[in-house]
Amino acid sequence: MKRVVVVGASAAGLAAVETLRREGYDGTLTLVGDEPHAPYDRPPLSKQLLAGEWSPDRLALRHSADLDTLDLDLRLGVAATGLDVPGRTVRLADGATVPYDGLVVATGVRPRRLPGEGAHVLRTLDDAVALRDRLEPGVRVVVVGAGFLGAEAAAVASRLGAEVTLLEPAPVPLAHAIGDEIGQVLSRAHLDHGVNLRTGVTVTAVTEDGVRLADGEHVDADEVLVAIGSLPNTEWLADSGLSTGDGLNCDEYCEAAQHVYAAGDVARWYNPLFGVPMRIEHRTNAAEQGMAAARNLLRPEARKPFAPVPYFWSDQYDMKIQAYGYLRGHDEVAVVDGDLETRRFVAAYRTGDRLTGTLAVGMPPKAIRSWRQAIATGATWREAVPPGDTGDDR
């Protein structure tokens, strides 16, 4: 290969170009990013940056000198608008076309929005700065969506003295992913810190001074943050012939078509460790998948399936939440260490007869590491959790 193009200049794209250079690729390497900023870290957007504890320059994933050593054809502030797979060219918003012999798609996701104008979303550095500048004591903030992103933002806003209302359509936030009982534990943390958490309510529109609910009620707010999930950025691939749906569909090698691989939030790939296709929107997965896709693209004769144990973390109030594995669709969850009431515990998740996930709140990293290893080796539930130690959460 003489020319490789990586579309997406965040964690996955950066990991891909660095891996290509580290593995000896010395051809033309183009990195395309739709934001004007050099690659930066996204998890702090809803944590340290939003809280005003970090300045934007602290989020940079690499110093400019480090990027220079990669000898990149760097195209920032320009989005990809089309892909010609037979012709092996990427079309850009500025009218340019970039040829490739190998391509890595790492275009990430964008926030879902609600009808109406004026609401904040939280995906980019500019989004986070705009919201941060509005958070001050006494400001009325409505956060729509009590998933991990909305919960983190609500926790920060509350800590800064804002009057926070957190609206969630599900009866228990995050129950679909982590289980009803643990979802209730995390919910109580918001209530304990003065957040007005309302569940079972659906927001239909953003208004000039708040949000409107499905039953017609209006909830007043000075600022509104919409955190209701995301959509994979695959529209630019619409005429490419590639298979898209909930992301760019790939095999276990992260390959979407010959010479085309995907990584990060946009990639939906078959994970052989769990036997299901998945799309993971977590920082660790983005970097690991960017490296795996680059290696498989560079050396197809030595390709390896990408079969990670996904990992994510969240900081809310004084709680450090960590999880390994694939928790969605679980059949049972059992607290295997600690206590729910004190918000210091480890929970294990069963899907079928296998241990498929673990989640820890308020526990040191070592308390969960052995569970990650058990998931990675395909441990059965009976092997991992002795009979009598389980708690059914169906």
Side-chain angles (χ1 to χ4, degrees):
M1 293 186 297
K2 295 182 178 179
R3 300 167 299 191
V4 173
V5 176
V6 177
V7 183
S10 194
L14 178 64
V17 295
E18 288 187 325
T19 300
L20 286 165
R21 289 301 193 214
R22 190 167 55 246
E23 298 283 329
Y25 176 71
D26 60 1
T28 300
L29 185 52
T30 301
L31 180 61
V32 177
D34 61 351
E35 293 185 64
H37 309 292
Y40 62 88
D41 209 13
R42 295 189 191 276
L45 296 179
S46 58
K47 304 177 184 72
Q48 296 93 338
L49 185 84
L50 191 62
E53 297 167 353
W54 288 12
S55 60
D57 58 0
R58 189 168 174 179
L59 271 62
L61 287 171
R62 298 293 181 271
H63 297 298
S64 57
D66 296 324
L67 290 176
D68 290 343
T69 63
L70 296 173
D71 189 24
L72 300 174
D73 170 24
L74 191 58
R75 314 280 187 102
L76 296 179
V78 57
T81 57
L83 174 64
D84 179 355
V85 173
R88 296 190 187 180
T89 56
V90 175
R91 298 190 298 275
L92 303 183
D94 61 4
T97 59
V98 185
Y100 69 84
D101 299 310
L103 173 67
V104 177
V105 176
T107 43
V109 296
R110 65 187 183 281
R112 293 180 182 271
R113 297 178 183 265
L114 289 169
E117 302 293 333
H120 297 271
V121 291
L122 193 50
R123 173 65 184 175
T124 69
L125 176 58
D126 295 341
D127 292 337
V129 169
L131 178 58
R132 181 197 64 185
D133 291 347
R134 306 296 295 178
L135 296 181
E136 57 186 28
V139 67
R140 298 171 302 172
V141 177
V142 164
V143 179
V144 184
F148 283 108
L149 180 66
E152 289 176 355
V156 169
S158 175
R159 182 153 53 90
L160 293 176
E163 298 177 8
V164 181
T165 298
L166 182 56
L167 304 176
E168 167 60 37
V172 178
L174 293 167
H176 67 288
I178 64 175
D180 187 86
E181 191 174 12
I182 295 176
Q184 291 177 0
V185 170
L186 301 188
S187 297
R188 286 196 293 273
H190 293 295
L191 299 174
D192 289 350
H193 286 83
V195 171
N196 179 19
L197 172 62
R198 297 180 57 184
T199 60
V201 296
T202 300
V203 177
T204 57
V206 177
T207 68
E208 291 183 356
D209 52 0
V211 297
R212 184 177 299 110
L213 306 185
D215 63 3
E217 179 187 352
H218 189 271
V219 180
D220 295 336
D222 302 307
E223 305 295 334
V224 175
L225 169 64
V226 175
I228 55 173
S230 56
L231 296 167
N233 290 322
T234 58
E235 286 73 18
W236 68 286
L237 302 171
D239 298 324
S240 67
L242 298 180
S243 173
T244 60
D246 179 29
L248 176 56
N249 294 317
C250 304
D251 62 14
E252 66 268 34
Y253 303 103
C254 306
E255 186 181 44
Q258 189 175 22
H259 310 297
V260 179
Y261 287 75
D265 297 1
V266 74
R268 183 173 180 80
W269 91 104
Y270 178 80
N271 186 334
L273 179 60
F274 297 89
V276 295
M278 58 179 64
R279 187 174 65 81
I280 303 295
E281 295 184 24
H282 300 312
R283 170 68 174 80
T284 302
N285 185 78
E288 292 177 347
Q289 196 165 26
M291 291 187 285
R295 291 189 182 109
N296 287 342
L297 171 65
L298 188 61
R299 295 190 176 87
E301 74 285 353
R303 295 193 308 174
K304 295 181 180 179
F306 181 58
V309 177
Y311 169 76
F312 75 85
W313 77 95
S314 178
D315 294 321
Q316 299 173 32
Y317 308 108
D318 57 350
M319 297 186 301
K320 178 74 172 183
I321 303 165
Q322 305 172 77
Y324 284 104
Y326 194 64
L327 279 55
R328 291 177 181 268
H330 65 267
D331 298 312
E332 183 179 351
V333 56
V335 175
V336 293
D337 189 8
D339 176 62
L340 293 179
E341 291 301 317
T342 62
R343 298 186 195 129
R344 291 180 55 83
F345 62 88
V346 176
Y349 291 77
R350 174 181 68 82
T351 304
D353 64 351
R354 280 190 55 188
L355 172 72
T356 52
T358 184
L359 180 143
V361 174
M363 301 291 275
K366 65 180 181 180
I368 197 173
R369 286 190 189 123
S370 63
W371 292 93
R372 180 203 177 281
Q373 182 62 23
I375 297 167
T377 57
T380 67
W381 183 252
R382 184 171 291 274
E383 290 170 339
V385 183
D389 289 349
T390 63
D392 199 342
D393 188 49
R394 286 172 288 183

